[in-house]
Amino acid sequence: MDTTEGNIIARKPGTSPISLITRAVSWFLGLGDYIFAPIQKRVGHVRMAYVFVLPNLLIFGIFILFPMLLNFYYGFTSGESILPENRTFVGTENLEKLLQCDNYLDPNTCDEDLFWRGVSNTGLYVVSEVTLLVIFALTTALALNSNVAGRAFFRSVFFYPVLLSPVVVALIWKWLLQQDGLLNAFIVSMGGERAPFLLDGGWSQFWVIIVGVWAQMGFYTLILLAGLQSIPADLYEASSIDGANAFRTFRSITLPLLMPTMFVVLVLSLIRAVQVFDHVYVLTNGGPGTATLFIVQYIYRTAFSNRNFGLAAAASLLLALVLLLLTVAQLRLGRRVDAT
Amino acid sequence: MSQSTLSADNAVQFLTRRQGKKRLSTADILTYVYLIVGTLVMFGPVAWLVVSSFKPERGLIEFPPTLLPYWQQTVQPEGYDKPLDLYDVTLEDGTTRRLAQVSRVGIMARMIDPQNPSAEPIQVNINQRQPVRYVNFSLENYTGAIQQFPFLTYLGNSIIVTIAATVVTLLVNSMAAFGLSKYRFRGRDAIFLLILSTLMVPVSVVLIPAFLVINEVGWVNNLIGVIIPGAATPTGVFLLRQYMLTIPDELIESARIDGATEWRIYWQVILPLASPALATLAIFSVMWRWNDFLWPLIVLNRSELFTLQVGLNAFQGDLNTQWHYILAMTVLTLLPITIVFAILQRYITTGIATTGMK
């Protein structure tokens, strides 16, 4: 009797930080009853569902849904003012200006050449970044899935950059890639010449892609690793009994069963690559010249530096269209991949 | 055979011992090589940043850079106001002496013997001297940067935004998820689909109108303008709803029979049971908000309101040459998230692996 009471008393104060926070939160949430009990009395318990959904829906409606709809309006108006009532309706003029081009392969022949520069830069970025991401994330996931010592350590190391903010990532690499940086020191010590990594257009495009892969690879590695680990072990046993070698096992078991996960990785990385902005903004700010100017930065510049909100909104409508197509493609193809 | 080789043999044997196999296969060796090279590539840049942040300003412009942070050894001889740099000087007769530099004109330096400061200075060609340096992980850049740069203000803003946004996100999302998972009402599926359909809509697509809304509400240059708009995350609603669907309805029914109000059911029955999902969302929210860049960049124009990410960006744009401060600031910015990761890494990695989101 005594001992049980002692236990209860010993447990009750809960002085660890977590339990203190829990109790504070619990007390605070309990106050909600003073607000919500009277409401419930008035509307009845079934309609309380609306009350619960309301705050989220309000924020969602005002800051996500409404802006999405408003974007259409902006895309079809022009003027210096950001206030909707001061803008003049111009129909498809903005879209026409963006799409006006003599030769779509040469941005110089386009009316809005910066936009097309951004489109072609983004296209190059998306294709190379996603390819490299998938290759390296798959290789890393396979390496981490094998029976090596220190797996947890390696997994953490490969994942760590994912947590870093784009600004930090960009500064880490800016320091490494500058003219007197470590990488150039290494090249000089090997007898080479200093390379203008961030001063040359081609080099900048290259490094922006590499930094993107570096910063995100760990994320996709984790998803692929989870996919690999969900493949039943007895399939591998069966194939080794059948005398299949490692390559055959990979091709006939691992790859097909990993396909749905690979697909998720492909789509997620594609959608994110199309919107590349943050680390590039800090690392090169779109330069040198327009070498690393991507679509989102074009929208940002057009809207907030040049205050041409109509043109920027039209460009973001086109971007949204591309993202929509990618999402639809994901749903369509995803179903097919799942079916096989 | 000596003791040490014996234990080394044991160690090698232990390290290379495999299940069912005697020795490492070629595939294993390749895997290790890949993982070790990968570790260098993934962690090397961060390590280089951290080591460099301890270097003195003039050590940073050195080429080729030294691996470790070297600081100049100085002395304070009698009769001089400021400490003088110490050098090892090779004299014309071939001997080496440790001298302090008083001044330098062109390629000639005037140097004195710190033991005998009143003696006539010696003229030395600067190619004949080597600075005396020592390795020191000095915090000078850190203290300097904190004084030069309103780091603590930015840190405070980042902490306010991160905590407030995470609290609001958890509250609002869990309430919505509860409503959407535990009630049948008209328009429920429509609302859920509407929220879900914006899962892939990034802030970059609605940049301009979202800014207008913030402008109209009067939240430009207000931390609330950073906190609230991102709080209704479709991802959070989705994650929590899927989790709450697995909580049996009987629990709610019996609580109702006991006379609990709906709000009480929410915070005393549902929330505790959904705590694993809430913890996952909390971790994500902290990560999103701490690292958020584009939205705060647009909403906040006054520098006393900057979050760390925006402030760090402004700082590196303003003072492009002050790398010694930038490096220290960058390390301070990545430190909190690194500590959180070190403590919670298992939850973070499993959270991402199971939800597939970031």
Side-chain angles (χ1 to χ4, degrees), chain B residues 58 71-77 82-86 100 132 134:
Chain B
R58 56 176 144 172
W71 288 70
Q72 173 76 46
Q73 184 87 52
T74 56
V75 281
Q76 176 81 65
K82 279 199 261 169
L84 304 177
D85 293 347
L86 266 185
V132 179
Y134 61 105

Side-chain angles (χ1 to χ4, degrees), chain B residues 229-258:
Chain B
T233 61
T235 352
V237 175
F238 181 64
L239 175 75
L240 292 174
R241 174 186 174 269
Q242 299 308 97
Y243 196 88
M244 286 177 186
L245 284 175
T246 65
I247 297 173
D249 289 343
E250 288 77 18
L251 283 174
I252 297 170
E253 284 307 321
S254 64
R256 233 171 242 153
I257 290 164
D258 289 345

Side-chain angles (χ1 to χ4, degrees), chain A residues 80-99:
Chain A
E80 288 274 296
S81 169
I82 193 169
L83 298 174
E85 60 268 27
N86 296 343
R87 303 184 60 81
T88 40
F89 186 79
V90 293
T92 56
E93 199 179 274
N94 290 320
L95 281 171
E96 277 166 28
K97 184 169 164 58
L98 283 178
L99 297 174

Side-chain angles (χ1 to χ4, degrees), chain B residues 17-90:
Chain B
R17 191 172 57 198
R18 321 283 305 153
Q19 234 182 352
K21 282 185 232 160
K22 280 266 160 63
R23 286 204 286 130
L24 283 171
S25 67
T26 325
D28 287 335
I29 292 170
L30 280 177
T31 307
Y32 277 113
V33 168
Y34 179 81
L35 289 177
I36 289 166
V37 171
T39 302
L40 273 178
V41 173
M42 299 312 275
F43 205 69
V46 184
W48 179 240
L49 174 90
V50 174
V51 172
S52 302
S53 75
F54 295 108
K55 289 183 176 179
E57 195 178 353
R58 56 176 144 172
L60 291 174
I61 51 173
E62 217 172 286
F63 188 86
T66 56
L67 204 57
L68 290 171
Y70 282 100
W71 288 70
Q72 173 76 46
Q73 184 87 52
T74 56
V75 281
Q76 176 81 65
E78 263 173 64
Y80 289 91
D81 313 335
K82 279 199 261 169
L84 304 177
D85 293 347
L86 266 185
Y87 290 88
D88 279 331
V89 179
T90 314

Side-chain angles (χ1 to χ4, degrees), chain A residues 129-338:
Chain A
E129 202 231 17
V130 169
T131 311
L132 289 176
L133 260 181
V134 170
I135 291 173
F136 281 109
L138 181 63
T139 315
T140 314
L142 286 170
L144 289 174
N145 196 42
S146 65
N147 190 19
V148 293
R151 279 198 323 189
F153 167 78
F154 286 122
R155 197 183 56 190
S156 300
V157 166
F158 278 89
F159 181 72
Y160 178 67
V162 174
L163 293 171
L164 300 177
S165 78
V167 182
V168 167
V169 165
L171 287 175
I172 286 173
W173 282 90
K174 208 173 183 178
W175 176 236
L176 210 63
L177 295 174
Q178 55 143 341
Q179 282 301 88
D180 293 337
L182 187 65
L183 214 64
N184 266 330
F186 183 70
I187 290 174
V188 168
S189 77
M190 302 292 275
E193 291 260 323
R194 272 190 244 199
F197 290 132
L198 295 175
L199 304 173
D200 174 77
W203 272 119
S204 295
Q205 287 179 334
F206 173 77
W207 281 112
V208 157
I209 293 165
I210 297 298
V211 173
V213 173
W214 182 83
Q216 302 199 19
M217 194 189 86
F219 173 68
Y220 299 105
T221 302
L222 270 192
I223 296 180
L224 286 174
L225 194 57
L228 282 174
Q229 283 166 354
S230 68
I231 297 175
D234 42 349
L235 285 178
Y236 288 111
E237 273 163 38
S239 89
S240 90
I241 289 168
D242 289 349
N245 62 16
F247 178 71
R248 186 67 209 272
T249 309
F250 176 75
R251 219 194 56 197
S252 310
I253 295 179
T254 313
L255 214 50
L257 287 175
L258 199 60
M259 249 2 217
T261 322
M262 289 277 279
F263 189 72
V264 170
V265 166
L266 196 68
V267 171
L268 280 183
S269 59
L270 261 177
I271 288 177
R272 220 182 285 170
V274 173
Q275 306 164 36
V276 54
F277 173 78
D278 295 359
H279 77 271
V280 184
Y281 181 77
V282 183
L283 191 63
T284 65
N285 195 10
T290 54
T292 55
L293 180 80
F294 296 116
I295 294 178
V296 174
Q297 191 170 1
Y298 167 80
I299 295 171
Y300 175 83
R301 259 192 209 175
T302 310
F304 296 98
S305 301
N306 307 342
R307 295 190 71 79
N308 194 338
F309 297 111
L311 202 59
S316 64
L317 284 178
L318 290 177
L319 176 61
L321 185 69
V322 172
L323 290 171
L324 184 75
L325 289 178
L326 284 175
T327 314
V328 170
Q330 169 199 16
L331 292 175
R332 277 278 179 84
L333 283 167
R335 217 166 282 154
R336 200 179 301 163
V337 170
D338 282 342

Side-chain angles (χ1 to χ4, degrees), chain A residues 26 29-30 32-33 36-37 40 45-46 48-53 55-57 59-60 62-68 70-71 74 82-84 136 139-140 143-144 146-149 153-168 171-176 178-182 184-185 188 194 214 217 219 222-223 226 268 271-272 275 277-278 281-282 296 299-300 303-304 309 312-313 316 319-320 323 327 330, chain B residues 18-19 31-32 34-36 38-39 41-43 45-46 48-49 52 60-65 168 171-173 175-176 178-180 183-186 191 194-195 198 200-202 204-217 219 228-229 231-234 237 256 261-264 266-267 271 287 291 293-294 297-298 309 312-313 316 320 323 326-327 330 333-334 337-338 341 345-346 348-349 352-353 356-358:
Chain A
S26 176
L29 284 174
D33 235 9
F36 290 101
Q40 189 183 337
H45 83 262
V46 178
M48 278 303 282
Y50 293 105
V51 179
F52 280 112
V53 177
N56 195 81
L57 216 53
I59 299 177
F60 173 81
I62 296 172
F63 297 107
I64 300 177
L65 198 61
F66 178 61
M68 273 173 68
L70 201 58
N71 214 17
Y74 274 95
I82 193 169
L83 298 174
F136 281 109
T139 315
T140 314
L144 289 174
S146 65
N147 190 19
V148 293
F153 167 78
F154 286 122
R155 197 183 56 190
S156 300
V157 166
F158 278 89
F159 181 72
Y160 178 67
V162 174
L163 293 171
L164 300 177
S165 78
V167 182
V168 167
L171 287 175
I172 286 173
W173 282 90
K174 208 173 183 178
W175 176 236
L176 210 63
Q178 55 143 341
Q179 282 301 88
D180 293 337
L182 187 65
N184 266 330
V188 168
R194 272 190 244 199
W214 182 83
M217 194 189 86
F219 173 68
L222 270 192
I223 296 180
L268 280 183
I271 288 177
R272 220 182 285 170
Q275 306 164 36
F277 173 78
D278 295 359
Y281 181 77
V282 183
V296 174
I299 295 171
Y300 175 83
F304 296 98
F309 297 111
S316 64
L319 176 61
L323 290 171
T327 314
Q330 169 199 16
Chain B
R18 321 283 305 153
Q19 234 182 352
T31 307
Y32 277 113
Y34 179 81
L35 289 177
I36 289 166
T39 302
V41 173
M42 299 312 275
F43 205 69
V46 184
W48 179 240
L49 174 90
S52 302
L60 291 174
I61 51 173
E62 217 172 286
F63 188 86
V168 175
L171 185 71
V172 166
N173 282 3
M175 281 171 71
F178 175 52
L180 290 171
Y183 295 90
R184 300 182 152 275
F185 60 92
R186 259 168 60 134
I191 292 174
L194 195 67
I195 292 178
T198 58
M200 287 301 177
V201 177
S204 48
V205 169
V206 292
L207 219 49
I208 298 123
F211 177 74
L212 168 85
V213 172
I214 293 290
N215 199 29
E216 291 289 290
V217 187
W219 283 353
I228 297 295
T233 61
V237 175
R256 233 171 242 153
T261 60
E262 298 304 304
W263 177 259
R264 217 180 170 76
Y266 159 73
W267 72 272
L271 279 195
M287 257 169 60
N291 291 340
F293 178 61
L294 180 54
L297 181 71
I298 289 166
Q309 311 300 339
L312 194 60
N313 175 57
Q316 68 101 21
N320 222 344
W323 268 109
I326 296 169
L327 295 176
T330 312
T333 308
L334 67 81
I337 209 94
T338 307
F341 177 57
Q345 56 152 311
R346 237 160 44 91
I348 297 175
T349 47
I352 288 179
M357 60 183 210
K358 184 198 159 191

